[in-house]
Amino acid sequence: MARCDVCGKSESMPYNCRHCGGTYCGEHRLPENHDCTGLQNWNDPKGVFDSGFDDSVQGGKTAESKSLSDRIPIDTGPGGPLAYFRGNMTYTFLAIIWITFLAQWFVLLAFGASTHQALFTLSTSNPEYVWTWITSTFAHSPVNIFHIVFNSIVIFFFGPLVERYVGSKQFAILFVVAGALAALSQVGISAYQGVPSNVLGASGAALAIMGVLTILNPSLKVYLYFILPVPIWLLTAGTAVISIFFIGTGGGGNIAHAAHLVGLVIGLGYGEYVKRTQNVRTPNQFQLGGGPGGPGGPGGPGRGRF
């Protein structure tokens, strides 16, 4: 479910403008009906469509009336360098996660472990390093490739479906806020227990995404280990029980179970809010991408199931 950028109307099947990247209802889907900033980028070298009638109107525009994209000194129009990322925040975040992973290795090799921890790790010893509230969400253990691979798989399959129904902006906010709050919760609980803790990873954000899907479509089939089909509510319940058990016993090794649980609770809460305030209809299977004109934007993945 998304809201029209012009009238604010909720739409279960919104239109994404390929020229300006906005989200619109059926009434405002045409570029001329939502004052599309991409219209000025249409190629008309012979001036076929230029009557000169609106020159005075365009000339009278003030700086305040221009959109943000007009003020950015790079090409944000159709086909520009940012075209792929419109409506594809899931894949944008995945790219950031892997770029961050490479940056972690560079910092480790060039500057050492102390600098790496100061830049990427949210810890009980330095919770005042506010930048790590965000960077720790996108960073992962450099010595455990399975950590980043597992989170990437969850985000890749679950993320596009959530983004499609809540919109890219709300998805981005959910991801960052859930990831930061989950990590802070882990550090807070560890400090209360008197146990030092260093938090890395997007698990809190990934489980928030799973929590949203659990509320919107609890019977959605997920293939556990790509073999065993189980409803997503059972997978969520199992994750919650495991997290609560290890939090209560103080075990769990190097796994941030408190972050997992908090991220899951945030996702469940947001999913309930979306369910109560918006008419969201979800399928019983994953269908990602669908071609250049389908959901996911240009360059999105082909159709698949999970």
Side-chain angles (χ1 to χ4, degrees):
M1 200 76 170
R3 295 185 180 276
C4 175
D5 292 344
V6 175
C7 64
K9 179 182 177 182
S10 296
E11 285 284 330
S12 58
M13 296 295 289
Y15 295 92
N16 291 320
C17 180
R18 299 300 182 189
H19 304 291
C20 66
T23 302
Y24 305 101
C25 64
E27 183 180 352
H28 297 103
R29 67 185 182 89
L30 296 178
E32 57 268 25
N33 289 347
H34 60 256
D35 193 22
C36 180
T37 56
L39 287 172
Q40 61 185 328
N41 296 318
W42 286 12
N43 186 19
D44 185 22
K46 297 182 180 180
V48 175
F49 300 105
D50 184 12
S51 65
F53 176 78
D54 61 346
D55 287 349
S56 60
V57 177
Q58 296 293 335
K61 274 191 175 182
T62 62
E64 290 76 15
S65 66
K66 293 183 178 180
S67 67
L68 178 61
S69 61
D70 294 331
R71 303 180 187 181
I72 299 176
I74 58 177
D75 181 11
T76 60
L82 301 182
Y84 175 82
F85 300 102
R86 298 191 188 99
N88 284 305
M89 287 309 302
T90 298
Y91 308 115
T92 301
F93 283 148
L94 281 173
I96 293 174
I97 285 172
W98 282 93
I99 291 172
T100 302
F101 187 71
L102 296 177
Q104 289 180 254
W105 271 108
F106 172 78
V107 171
L108 275 173
L109 296 175
F111 304 103
S114 59
T115 302
H116 173 271
Q117 179 163 337
L119 291 177
F120 299 106
T121 305
L122 177 59
S123 64
T124 50
S125 58
N126 296 111
E128 71 277 8
Y129 290 177
V130 294
W131 57 87
T132 61
W133 299 4
I134 305 300
T135 58
S136 64
T137 298
F138 294 94
H140 289 77
S141 172
V143 297
N144 184 1
I145 190 66
F146 294 104
H147 187 205
I148 187 172
V149 168
F150 176 79
N151 282 339
S152 296
I153 290 174
V154 173
I155 294 169
F156 179 83
F157 283 111
F158 288 3
L161 192 55
V162 173
E163 182 180 359
R164 185 183 306 175
Y165 287 99
V166 305
S168 295
K169 180 179 179 180
Q170 297 303 319
F171 176 84
I173 294 173
L174 171 69
F175 190 98
V176 174
V177 171
L181 290 180
L184 287 169
S185 299
Q186 178 67 45
V187 167
I189 291 176
S190 296
Y192 175 78
Q193 295 175 337
V195 179
S197 177
N198 299 310
V199 181
L200 286 169
S203 299
L207 287 173
I209 294 171
M210 190 171 74
V212 173
L213 283 181
T214 301
I215 294 297
L216 297 183
N217 194 348
S219 62
L220 180 67
K221 290 293 187 298
V222 177
Y223 284 83
L224 189 61
Y225 298 113
F226 297 97
I227 299 174
L228 181 63
V230 296
I232 193 172
W233 71 264
L234 185 60
L235 182 62
T236 300
T239 302
V241 170
I242 292 173
S243 297
I244 292 172
F245 172 78
F246 282 114
I247 292 172
T249 59
N254 294 324
I255 300 176
H257 289 287
H260 291 184
L261 184 62
V262 170
L264 190 59
V265 169
I266 291 174
L268 292 172
Y270 182 67
E272 185 63 29
Y273 167 78
V274 172
K275 183 178 180 180
R276 290 177 179 271
T277 59
Q278 303 178 27
N279 182 25
V280 178
R281 292 175 295 176
T282 55
N284 290 322
Q285 63 186 16
F286 284 102
Q287 288 188 343
L288 307 179
R303 180 168 296 180
R305 296 182 180 180
F306 180 63

PDB file of all heavy atoms in Angstrom, residues 238-273:
ATOM      1  N   GLY A 238       9.058 -19.320  16.032  1.00  0.00           N
ATOM      2  CA  GLY A 238      10.247 -20.061  16.426  1.00  0.00           C
ATOM      3  C   GLY A 238      11.425 -19.141  16.708  1.00  0.00           C
ATOM      4  O   GLY A 238      12.168 -19.339  17.683  1.00  0.00           O
ATOM      5  N   THR A 239      11.585 -18.133  15.878  1.00  0.00           N
ATOM      6  CA  THR A 239      12.667 -17.163  16.087  1.00  0.00           C
ATOM      7  C   THR A 239      12.482 -16.421  17.401  1.00  0.00           C
ATOM      8  O   THR A 239      13.443 -16.202  18.154  1.00  0.00           O
ATOM      9  CB  THR A 239      12.700 -16.163  14.923  1.00  0.00           C
ATOM     10  OG1 THR A 239      12.886 -16.863  13.689  1.00  0.00           O
ATOM     11  CG2 THR A 239      13.827 -15.155  15.105  1.00  0.00           C
ATOM     12  N   ALA A 240      11.242 -16.024  17.701  1.00  0.00           N
ATOM     13  CA  ALA A 240      10.965 -15.298  18.941  1.00  0.00           C
ATOM     14  C   ALA A 240      11.243 -16.169  20.164  1.00  0.00           C
ATOM     15  O   ALA A 240      11.851 -15.711  21.149  1.00  0.00           O
ATOM     16  CB  ALA A 240       9.512 -14.823  18.949  1.00  0.00           C
ATOM     17  N   VAL A 241      10.811 -17.428  20.130  1.00  0.00           N
ATOM     18  CA  VAL A 241      11.023 -18.336  21.258  1.00  0.00           C
ATOM     19  C   VAL A 241      12.512 -18.557  21.505  1.00  0.00           C
ATOM     20  O   VAL A 241      12.984 -18.502  22.655  1.00  0.00           O
ATOM     21  CB  VAL A 241      10.313 -19.684  21.002  1.00  0.00           C
ATOM     22  CG1 VAL A 241      10.737 -20.714  22.044  1.00  0.00           C
ATOM     23  CG2 VAL A 241       8.804 -19.496  21.041  1.00  0.00           C
ATOM     24  N   ILE A 242      13.268 -18.772  20.458  1.00  0.00           N
ATOM     25  CA  ILE A 242      14.711 -18.981  20.597  1.00  0.00           C
ATOM     26  C   ILE A 242      15.382 -17.743  21.183  1.00  0.00           C
ATOM     27  O   ILE A 242      16.238 -17.834  22.084  1.00  0.00           O
ATOM     28  CB  ILE A 242      15.327 -19.347  19.234  1.00  0.00           C
ATOM     29  CG1 ILE A 242      14.833 -20.726  18.785  1.00  0.00           C
ATOM     30  CG2 ILE A 242      16.855 -19.324  19.310  1.00  0.00           C
ATOM     31  CD1 ILE A 242      15.250 -21.092  17.373  1.00  0.00           C
ATOM     32  N   SER A 243      15.005 -16.568  20.684  1.00  0.00           N
ATOM     33  CA  SER A 243      15.601 -15.327  21.172  1.00  0.00           C
ATOM     34  C   SER A 243      15.287 -15.098  22.641  1.00  0.00           C
ATOM     35  O   SER A 243      16.168 -14.736  23.437  1.00  0.00           O
ATOM     36  CB  SER A 243      15.096 -14.142  20.336  1.00  0.00           C
ATOM     37  OG  SER A 243      15.497 -14.268  18.983  1.00  0.00           O
ATOM     38  N   ILE A 244      14.032 -15.319  23.033  1.00  0.00           N
ATOM     39  CA  ILE A 244      13.637 -15.126  24.430  1.00  0.00           C
ATOM     40  C   ILE A 244      14.390 -16.103  25.335  1.00  0.00           C
ATOM     41  O   ILE A 244      14.845 -15.741  26.429  1.00  0.00           O
ATOM     42  CB  ILE A 244      12.117 -15.303  24.583  1.00  0.00           C
ATOM     43  CG1 ILE A 244      11.377 -14.161  23.873  1.00  0.00           C
ATOM     44  CG2 ILE A 244      11.719 -15.342  26.055  1.00  0.00           C
ATOM     45  CD1 ILE A 244       9.881 -14.347  23.814  1.00  0.00           C
ATOM     46  N   PHE A 245      14.553 -17.336  24.883  1.00  0.00           N
ATOM     47  CA  PHE A 245      15.250 -18.346  25.688  1.00  0.00           C
ATOM     48  C   PHE A 245      16.700 -17.929  25.959  1.00  0.00           C
ATOM     49  O   PHE A 245      17.167 -17.964  27.100  1.00  0.00           O
ATOM     50  CB  PHE A 245      15.223 -19.692  24.969  1.00  0.00           C
ATOM     51  CG  PHE A 245      16.067 -20.741  25.632  1.00  0.00           C
ATOM     52  CD1 PHE A 245      15.615 -21.406  26.765  1.00  0.00           C
ATOM     53  CD2 PHE A 245      17.321 -21.060  25.117  1.00  0.00           C
ATOM     54  CE1 PHE A 245      16.402 -22.373  27.380  1.00  0.00           C
ATOM     55  CE2 PHE A 245      18.110 -22.029  25.724  1.00  0.00           C
ATOM     56  CZ  PHE A 245      17.650 -22.682  26.867  1.00  0.00           C
ATOM     57  N   PHE A 246      17.401 -17.519  24.929  1.00  0.00           N
ATOM     58  CA  PHE A 246      18.810 -17.173  25.105  1.00  0.00           C
ATOM     59  C   PHE A 246      18.993 -15.857  25.856  1.00  0.00           C
ATOM     60  O   PHE A 246      19.983 -15.682  26.573  1.00  0.00           O
ATOM     61  CB  PHE A 246      19.518 -17.116  23.754  1.00  0.00           C
ATOM     62  CG  PHE A 246      19.866 -18.471  23.198  1.00  0.00           C
ATOM     63  CD1 PHE A 246      19.262 -18.939  22.044  1.00  0.00           C
ATOM     64  CD2 PHE A 246      20.782 -19.281  23.849  1.00  0.00           C
ATOM     65  CE1 PHE A 246      19.585 -20.195  21.538  1.00  0.00           C
ATOM     66  CE2 PHE A 246      21.109 -20.537  23.352  1.00  0.00           C
ATOM     67  CZ  PHE A 246      20.501 -20.997  22.189  1.00  0.00           C
ATOM     68  N   ILE A 247      18.045 -14.921  25.691  1.00  0.00           N
ATOM     69  CA  ILE A 247      18.123 -13.681  26.472  1.00  0.00           C
ATOM     70  C   ILE A 247      17.959 -13.998  27.951  1.00  0.00           C
ATOM     71  O   ILE A 247      18.675 -13.464  28.817  1.00  0.00           O
ATOM     72  CB  ILE A 247      17.048 -12.679  26.008  1.00  0.00           C
ATOM     73  CG1 ILE A 247      17.348 -12.181  24.593  1.00  0.00           C
ATOM     74  CG2 ILE A 247      16.982 -11.481  26.964  1.00  0.00           C
ATOM     75  CD1 ILE A 247      16.243 -11.351  23.986  1.00  0.00           C
ATOM     76  N   GLY A 248      17.007 -14.873  28.260  1.00  0.00           N
ATOM     77  CA  GLY A 248      16.746 -15.223  29.655  1.00  0.00           C
ATOM     78  C   GLY A 248      17.875 -16.001  30.296  1.00  0.00           C
ATOM     79  O   GLY A 248      18.161 -15.833  31.497  1.00  0.00           O
ATOM     80  N   THR A 249      18.552 -16.847  29.523  1.00  0.00           N
ATOM     81  CA  THR A 249      19.629 -17.673  30.082  1.00  0.00           C
ATOM     82  C   THR A 249      20.994 -17.013  29.962  1.00  0.00           C
ATOM     83  O   THR A 249      21.969 -17.498  30.543  1.00  0.00           O
ATOM     84  CB  THR A 249      19.670 -19.032  29.364  1.00  0.00           C
ATOM     85  OG1 THR A 249      19.887 -18.825  27.952  1.00  0.00           O
ATOM     86  CG2 THR A 249      18.365 -19.782  29.571  1.00  0.00           C
ATOM     87  N   GLY A 250      21.057 -15.911  29.208  1.00  0.00           N
ATOM     88  CA  GLY A 250      22.340 -15.237  29.040  1.00  0.00           C
ATOM     89  C   GLY A 250      23.286 -15.954  28.114  1.00  0.00           C
ATOM     90  O   GLY A 250      24.486 -15.654  28.066  1.00  0.00           O
ATOM     91  N   GLY A 251      22.777 -16.897  27.337  1.00  0.00           N
ATOM     92  CA  GLY A 251      23.615 -17.647  26.413  1.00  0.00           C
ATOM     93  C   GLY A 251      23.461 -17.145  24.999  1.00  0.00           C
ATOM     94  O   GLY A 251      23.091 -15.999  24.764  1.00  0.00           O
ATOM     95  N   GLY A 252      23.766 -18.016  24.045  1.00  0.00           N
ATOM     96  CA  GLY A 252      23.611 -17.647  22.642  1.00  0.00           C
ATOM     97  C   GLY A 252      24.899 -17.329  21.929  1.00  0.00           C
ATOM     98  O   GLY A 252      24.900 -16.974  20.752  1.00  0.00           O
ATOM     99  N   GLY A 253      26.038 -17.411  22.676  1.00  0.00           N
ATOM    100  CA  GLY A 253      27.313 -17.165  22.026  1.00  0.00           C
ATOM    101  C   GLY A 253      27.438 -15.746  21.510  1.00  0.00           C
ATOM    102  O   GLY A 253      27.148 -14.776  22.204  1.00  0.00           O
ATOM    103  N   ASN A 254      27.851 -15.639  20.240  1.00  0.00           N
ATOM    104  CA  ASN A 254      28.071 -14.317  19.635  1.00  0.00           C
ATOM    105  C   ASN A 254      26.851 -13.807  18.875  1.00  0.00           C
ATOM    106  O   ASN A 254      26.959 -12.837  18.117  1.00  0.00           O
ATOM    107  CB  ASN A 254      29.274 -14.391  18.687  1.00  0.00           C
ATOM    108  CG  ASN A 254      30.570 -14.659  19.425  1.00  0.00           C
ATOM    109  OD1 ASN A 254      30.773 -14.173  20.543  1.00  0.00           O
ATOM    110  ND2 ASN A 254      31.464 -15.437  18.809  1.00  0.00           N
ATOM    111  N   ILE A 255      25.709 -14.428  19.051  1.00  0.00           N
ATOM    112  CA  ILE A 255      24.489 -14.012  18.351  1.00  0.00           C
ATOM    113  C   ILE A 255      23.736 -12.991  19.190  1.00  0.00           C
ATOM    114  O   ILE A 255      23.508 -13.199  20.387  1.00  0.00           O
ATOM    115  CB  ILE A 255      23.591 -15.220  18.053  1.00  0.00           C
ATOM    116  CG1 ILE A 255      24.332 -16.235  17.180  1.00  0.00           C
ATOM    117  CG2 ILE A 255      22.304 -14.774  17.366  1.00  0.00           C
ATOM    118  CD1 ILE A 255      23.555 -17.495  16.907  1.00  0.00           C
ATOM    119  N   ALA A 256      23.357 -11.877  18.565  1.00  0.00           N
ATOM    120  CA  ALA A 256      22.651 -10.796  19.266  1.00  0.00           C
ATOM    121  C   ALA A 256      21.160 -11.103  19.307  1.00  0.00           C
ATOM    122  O   ALA A 256      20.363 -10.552  18.545  1.00  0.00           O
ATOM    123  CB  ALA A 256      22.914  -9.456  18.589  1.00  0.00           C
ATOM    124  N   HIS A 257      20.739 -11.975  20.230  1.00  0.00           N
ATOM    125  CA  HIS A 257      19.345 -12.409  20.288  1.00  0.00           C
ATOM    126  C   HIS A 257      18.407 -11.271  20.688  1.00  0.00           C
ATOM    127  O   HIS A 257      17.253 -11.229  20.242  1.00  0.00           O
ATOM    128  CB  HIS A 257      19.209 -13.582  21.261  1.00  0.00           C
ATOM    129  CG  HIS A 257      19.807 -14.847  20.756  1.00  0.00           C
ATOM    130  ND1 HIS A 257      19.231 -15.591  19.752  1.00  0.00           N
ATOM    131  CD2 HIS A 257      20.950 -15.503  21.091  1.00  0.00           C
ATOM    132  CE1 HIS A 257      19.969 -16.662  19.490  1.00  0.00           C
ATOM    133  NE2 HIS A 257      21.021 -16.633  20.299  1.00  0.00           N
ATOM    134  N   ALA A 258      18.873 -10.357  21.525  1.00  0.00           N
ATOM    135  CA  ALA A 258      18.027  -9.215  21.906  1.00  0.00           C
ATOM    136  C   ALA A 258      17.741  -8.337  20.694  1.00  0.00           C
ATOM    137  O   ALA A 258      16.618  -7.841  20.515  1.00  0.00           O
ATOM    138  CB  ALA A 258      18.699  -8.405  23.016  1.00  0.00           C
ATOM    139  N   ALA A 259      18.753  -8.136  19.855  1.00  0.00           N
ATOM    140  CA  ALA A 259      18.551  -7.349  18.635  1.00  0.00           C
ATOM    141  C   ALA A 259      17.554  -8.038  17.713  1.00  0.00           C
ATOM    142  O   ALA A 259      16.705  -7.388  17.095  1.00  0.00           O
ATOM    143  CB  ALA A 259      19.887  -7.147  17.921  1.00  0.00           C
ATOM    144  N   HIS A 260      17.646  -9.370  17.611  1.00  0.00           N
ATOM    145  CA  HIS A 260      16.703 -10.124  16.788  1.00  0.00           C
ATOM    146  C   HIS A 260      15.274  -9.920  17.282  1.00  0.00           C
ATOM    147  O   HIS A 260      14.358  -9.643  16.499  1.00  0.00           O
ATOM    148  CB  HIS A 260      17.040 -11.615  16.829  1.00  0.00           C
ATOM    149  CG  HIS A 260      18.315 -11.952  16.135  1.00  0.00           C
ATOM    150  ND1 HIS A 260      18.763 -13.252  15.985  1.00  0.00           N
ATOM    151  CD2 HIS A 260      19.246 -11.170  15.537  1.00  0.00           C
ATOM    152  CE1 HIS A 260      19.907 -13.247  15.325  1.00  0.00           C
ATOM    153  NE2 HIS A 260      20.226 -11.999  15.053  1.00  0.00           N
ATOM    154  N   LEU A 261      15.089 -10.057  18.591  1.00  0.00           N
ATOM    155  CA  LEU A 261      13.743  -9.965  19.162  1.00  0.00           C
ATOM    156  C   LEU A 261      13.171  -8.569  19.009  1.00  0.00           C
ATOM    157  O   LEU A 261      12.001  -8.407  18.634  1.00  0.00           O
ATOM    158  CB  LEU A 261      13.772 -10.371  20.636  1.00  0.00           C
ATOM    159  CG  LEU A 261      12.422 -10.410  21.345  1.00  0.00           C
ATOM    160  CD1 LEU A 261      11.499 -11.436  20.693  1.00  0.00           C
ATOM    161  CD2 LEU A 261      12.607 -10.731  22.825  1.00  0.00           C
ATOM    162  N   VAL A 262      13.975  -7.547  19.280  1.00  0.00           N
ATOM    163  CA  VAL A 262      13.489  -6.166  19.169  1.00  0.00           C
ATOM    164  C   VAL A 262      13.146  -5.835  17.722  1.00  0.00           C
ATOM    165  O   VAL A 262      12.106  -5.220  17.441  1.00  0.00           O
ATOM    166  CB  VAL A 262      14.533  -5.182  19.723  1.00  0.00           C
ATOM    167  CG1 VAL A 262      14.145  -3.743  19.402  1.00  0.00           C
ATOM    168  CG2 VAL A 262      14.671  -5.348  21.233  1.00  0.00           C
ATOM    169  N   GLY A 263      13.991  -6.240  16.786  1.00  0.00           N
ATOM    170  CA  GLY A 263      13.687  -6.001  15.376  1.00  0.00           C
ATOM    171  C   GLY A 263      12.393  -6.678  14.960  1.00  0.00           C
ATOM    172  O   GLY A 263      11.571  -6.103  14.241  1.00  0.00           O
ATOM    173  N   LEU A 264      12.191  -7.902  15.437  1.00  0.00           N
ATOM    174  CA  LEU A 264      10.971  -8.641  15.122  1.00  0.00           C
ATOM    175  C   LEU A 264       9.740  -7.945  15.694  1.00  0.00           C
ATOM    176  O   LEU A 264       8.707  -7.820  15.014  1.00  0.00           O
ATOM    177  CB  LEU A 264      11.081 -10.064  15.665  1.00  0.00           C
ATOM    178  CG  LEU A 264      10.005 -11.065  15.234  1.00  0.00           C
ATOM    179  CD1 LEU A 264       9.982 -11.223  13.727  1.00  0.00           C
ATOM    180  CD2 LEU A 264      10.255 -12.416  15.907  1.00  0.00           C
ATOM    181  N   VAL A 265       9.838  -7.478  16.928  1.00  0.00           N
ATOM    182  CA  VAL A 265       8.711  -6.791  17.567  1.00  0.00           C
ATOM    183  C   VAL A 265       8.376  -5.495  16.828  1.00  0.00           C
ATOM    184  O   VAL A 265       7.200  -5.163  16.624  1.00  0.00           O
ATOM    185  CB  VAL A 265       9.023  -6.510  19.052  1.00  0.00           C
ATOM    186  CG1 VAL A 265       7.984  -5.575  19.653  1.00  0.00           C
ATOM    187  CG2 VAL A 265       9.075  -7.811  19.844  1.00  0.00           C
ATOM    188  N   ILE A 266       9.403  -4.754  16.415  1.00  0.00           N
ATOM    189  CA  ILE A 266       9.166  -3.528  15.650  1.00  0.00           C
ATOM    190  C   ILE A 266       8.431  -3.846  14.356  1.00  0.00           C
ATOM    191  O   ILE A 266       7.480  -3.152  13.967  1.00  0.00           O
ATOM    192  CB  ILE A 266      10.500  -2.811  15.363  1.00  0.00           C
ATOM    193  CG1 ILE A 266      11.099  -2.253  16.656  1.00  0.00           C
ATOM    194  CG2 ILE A 266      10.297  -1.674  14.350  1.00  0.00           C
ATOM    195  CD1 ILE A 266      12.486  -1.668  16.473  1.00  0.00           C
ATOM    196  N   GLY A 267       8.869  -4.899  13.664  1.00  0.00           N
ATOM    197  CA  GLY A 267       8.208  -5.285  12.422  1.00  0.00           C
ATOM    198  C   GLY A 267       6.770  -5.717  12.639  1.00  0.00           C
ATOM    199  O   GLY A 267       5.879  -5.361  11.866  1.00  0.00           O
ATOM    200  N   LEU A 268       6.519  -6.484  13.703  1.00  0.00           N
ATOM    201  CA  LEU A 268       5.154  -6.907  14.000  1.00  0.00           C
ATOM    202  C   LEU A 268       4.269  -5.705  14.307  1.00  0.00           C
ATOM    203  O   LEU A 268       3.120  -5.633  13.861  1.00  0.00           O
ATOM    204  CB  LEU A 268       5.162  -7.874  15.189  1.00  0.00           C
ATOM    205  CG  LEU A 268       5.813  -9.244  14.947  1.00  0.00           C
ATOM    206  CD1 LEU A 268       5.928 -10.016  16.260  1.00  0.00           C
ATOM    207  CD2 LEU A 268       5.022 -10.055  13.932  1.00  0.00           C
ATOM    208  N   GLY A 269       4.813  -4.756  15.070  1.00  0.00           N
ATOM    209  CA  GLY A 269       4.039  -3.569  15.407  1.00  0.00           C
ATOM    210  C   GLY A 269       3.723  -2.728  14.186  1.00  0.00           C
ATOM    211  O   GLY A 269       2.593  -2.262  14.011  1.00  0.00           O
ATOM    212  N   TYR A 270       4.725  -2.534  13.311  1.00  0.00           N
ATOM    213  CA  TYR A 270       4.486  -1.739  12.105  1.00  0.00           C
ATOM    214  C   TYR A 270       3.550  -2.465  11.152  1.00  0.00           C
ATOM    215  O   TYR A 270       2.695  -1.844  10.504  1.00  0.00           O
ATOM    216  CB  TYR A 270       5.801  -1.425  11.406  1.00  0.00           C
ATOM    217  CG  TYR A 270       5.627  -0.566  10.178  1.00  0.00           C
ATOM    218  CD1 TYR A 270       5.188   0.751  10.288  1.00  0.00           C
ATOM    219  CD2 TYR A 270       5.863  -1.079   8.907  1.00  0.00           C
ATOM    220  CE1 TYR A 270       5.000   1.534   9.161  1.00  0.00           C
ATOM    221  CE2 TYR A 270       5.694  -0.295   7.784  1.00  0.00           C
ATOM    222  CZ  TYR A 270       5.260   1.002   7.919  1.00  0.00           C
ATOM    223  OH  TYR A 270       5.062   1.772   6.796  1.00  0.00           O
ATOM    224  N   GLY A 271       3.698  -3.781  11.064  1.00  0.00           N
ATOM    225  CA  GLY A 271       2.785  -4.551  10.221  1.00  0.00           C
ATOM    226  C   GLY A 271       1.350  -4.427  10.685  1.00  0.00           C
ATOM    227  O   GLY A 271       0.427  -4.317   9.868  1.00  0.00           O
ATOM    228  N   GLU A 272       1.124  -4.440  12.003  1.00  0.00           N
ATOM    229  CA  GLU A 272      -0.224  -4.277  12.540  1.00  0.00           C
ATOM    230  C   GLU A 272      -0.773  -2.889  12.224  1.00  0.00           C
ATOM    231  O   GLU A 272      -1.954  -2.735  11.900  1.00  0.00           O
ATOM    232  CB  GLU A 272      -0.210  -4.507  14.051  1.00  0.00           C
ATOM    233  CG  GLU A 272      -1.585  -4.492  14.708  1.00  0.00           C
ATOM    234  CD  GLU A 272      -2.487  -5.609  14.215  1.00  0.00           C
ATOM    235  OE1 GLU A 272      -1.960  -6.678  13.820  1.00  0.00           O
ATOM    236  OE2 GLU A 272      -3.719  -5.424  14.224  1.00  0.00           O
ATOM    237  N   TYR A 273       0.097  -1.876  12.293  1.00  0.00           N
ATOM    238  CA  TYR A 273      -0.327  -0.512  11.946  1.00  0.00           C
ATOM    239  C   TYR A 273      -0.745  -0.432  10.476  1.00  0.00           C
ATOM    240  O   TYR A 273      -1.783   0.149  10.138  1.00  0.00           O
ATOM    241  CB  TYR A 273       0.814   0.461  12.227  1.00  0.00           C
ATOM    242  CG  TYR A 273       0.597   1.832  11.630  1.00  0.00           C
ATOM    243  CD1 TYR A 273      -0.261   2.755  12.231  1.00  0.00           C
ATOM    244  CD2 TYR A 273       1.244   2.205  10.449  1.00  0.00           C
ATOM    245  CE1 TYR A 273      -0.466   4.014  11.668  1.00  0.00           C
ATOM    246  CE2 TYR A 273       1.045   3.454   9.892  1.00  0.00           C
ATOM    247  CZ  TYR A 273       0.188   4.350  10.504  1.00  0.00           C
ATOM    248  OH  TYR A 273      -0.019   5.584   9.948  1.00  0.00           O
TER     249      TYR A 273
END
